[in-house]
Amino acid sequence: MSVDNVQDNEDVIDLRKFFKVIMEKRKIFVAIIILCTFIATIVAFVMPKTYQSNTTIRIKTLTAAKGIELMKSAEVIEPVMDELNLSGISTAKFISSNLSIVNPRNTDLISVTAYGKTPEEAQAIVKAVLDNYAVAIDEYNEDQNASTLDYLNEYMAEAEKEMKEAENKLIAYQEQKGIPLAYAISSDIDNMPMDADFIRLSRDRKIALEKYIHLMKIYEEAKVGEKQDAVEISTVGEANTLDETPVKPNKKIIIAIGFVLGVMISLGYSLFAYCRKYGINILN
């Protein structure tokens, strides 16, 4: 057997010898596990508690994506931060630390979850977010309606101009050709004199008039909608109730992590003791 093979055999861990070392060091082995578990237990009970409050809503006036974007905006979040006297952090950090705003897949719902140091704080955050959100939606709808009415006003002015130009051209042609006025203002194109230009001008007038009347109807409907628009926020399931059970820290998980960490450290210590006892170079 070569020297290299002998060295390889010496560097292979013998599980029976390793287990024997564990038994020899069992007091230290168990002590490390108990110590780590004890420290984890203390940490689990000392860590500050975090409570949550959740509400799921449906917004009928906006898409879920736009609703979430608006809910995370500064105009909604900053008043909440002011109520909590949080002046040293950004809105993005506040959202990441204290809020979860998501859209459940394939739904028009928005789930709002707030985290606080007390159940009352978590509940207050959700309530403040929804109150500010309702105001923001009102303002958003007003801005959208105002933009729509401004656009329709401009479009109607153009349509009215086109209608008058078409009508003037038709009347001028009627006077030039001596066509009776009744034909010029009639909308019955089929019974008009067989004059191609006159029929074309009459058709242009009719199209411009119908376009203008159609825009007038849209404008009136938009004005009525502006007066009737209201925030439609409906709560789905349970409302914003007070939950006195903390969600963090999870004591069982923290204690379990401490126990597993203790086992790993104990095994590492036992491996070190084994290598020292049997002259194995642990770096190799």
Side-chain angles (χ1 to χ4, degrees):
M1 183 180 294
S2 66
V3 175
D4 289 340
N5 289 336
V6 171
Q7 182 65 38
D8 290 342
N9 289 335
E10 288 178 352
D11 288 346
V12 173
I13 295 177
D14 187 321
L15 293 180
R16 286 177 296 179
K17 292 180 179 179
F18 182 62
F19 182 73
K20 182 179 179 182
V21 171
I22 291 177
M23 295 304 296
E24 292 173 355
K25 305 291 185 180
R26 60 183 178 274
K27 291 184 179 179
I28 298 177
F29 189 95
V30 173
I32 293 174
I33 295 176
I34 292 175
L35 179 62
C36 289
T37 305
F38 178 71
I39 293 174
T41 303
I42 293 176
V43 170
F45 281 90
V46 170
M47 284 180 65
K49 297 178 181 179
T50 300
Y51 299 84
Q52 78 172 24
S53 183
N54 175 267
T55 296
T56 301
I57 60 174
R58 176 182 285 112
I59 307 295
K60 296 182 180 180
T61 54
L62 296 175
T63 63
K66 184 62 182 178
I68 291 176
E69 178 185 343
L70 186 60
M71 189 175 289
K72 289 183 177 181
S73 66
E75 61 184 308
V76 173
I77 301 301
E78 286 182 353
V80 180
M81 296 172 60
D82 291 340
E83 289 183 22
L84 298 175
N85 296 319
L86 298 174
S87 57
I89 63 174
S90 64
T91 55
K93 186 174 181 180
F94 174 79
I95 292 172
S96 64
S97 302
N98 297 84
L99 280 172
S100 172
I101 304 172
V102 297
N103 167 229
R105 185 176 296 179
N106 300 324
T107 69
D108 59 349
L109 306 176
I110 298 177
S111 176
V112 184
T113 303
Y115 302 95
K117 298 176 182 177
T118 64
E120 293 78 13
E121 182 180 82
Q123 186 183 48
I125 292 174
V126 171
K127 184 179 183 303
V129 168
L130 294 183
D131 289 345
N132 296 336
Y133 186 49
V135 174
I137 290 180
D138 268 339
E139 294 176 351
Y140 175 82
N141 286 338
E142 289 176 4
D143 291 341
Q144 290 295 104
N145 287 332
S147 299
T148 300
L149 291 176
D150 289 343
Y151 171 77
L152 287 174
N153 270 323
E154 294 177 5
Y155 202 22
M156 282 173 58
E158 294 179 5
E160 185 178 13
K161 181 180 178 182
E162 292 176 3
M163 179 188 67
K164 289 181 178 180
E165 288 177 353
E167 188 171 309
N168 291 336
K169 288 180 181 180
L170 178 62
I171 292 174
Y173 188 83
Q174 171 262 328
E175 292 175 350
Q176 179 185 350
K177 297 296 184 179
I179 299 172
L181 182 62
Y183 287 116
I185 62 175
S186 173
S187 60
D188 188 3
I189 297 177
D190 295 333
N191 295 324
M192 288 182 180
M194 297 303 293
D195 184 310
D197 290 333
F198 183 76
I199 292 175
R200 176 180 56 79
L201 292 171
S202 298
R203 183 177 292 110
D204 290 345
R205 174 187 174 276
K206 181 181 179 182
I207 292 173
L209 179 61
E210 290 176 349
K211 178 181 178 181
Y212 180 74
I213 292 174
H214 179 64
L215 287 173
M216 281 287 292
K217 290 180 180 179
I218 295 177
Y219 182 81
E220 292 301 323
E221 290 173 359
K223 289 189 69 175
V224 172
E226 183 182 28
K227 295 177 181 178
Q228 294 179 345
D229 269 348
V231 180
E232 297 185 42
I233 301 178
S234 55
T235 303
V236 180
E238 292 186 5
N240 181 24
T241 56
L242 191 67
D243 188 354
E244 297 185 354
T245 303
V247 292
K248 297 177 184 178
N250 191 320
K251 296 183 177 65
K252 292 181 179 179
I253 291 179
I254 293 175
I255 293 172
I257 291 174
F259 175 80
V260 172
L261 184 61
V263 172
M264 293 176 64
I265 293 174
S266 296
L267 289 174
Y269 170 77
S270 299
L271 179 62
F272 176 75
Y274 172 86
C275 292
R276 287 193 62 184
K277 181 175 182 178
Y278 294 102
I280 295 177
N281 187 347
I282 195 170
L283 295 179
N284 291 334

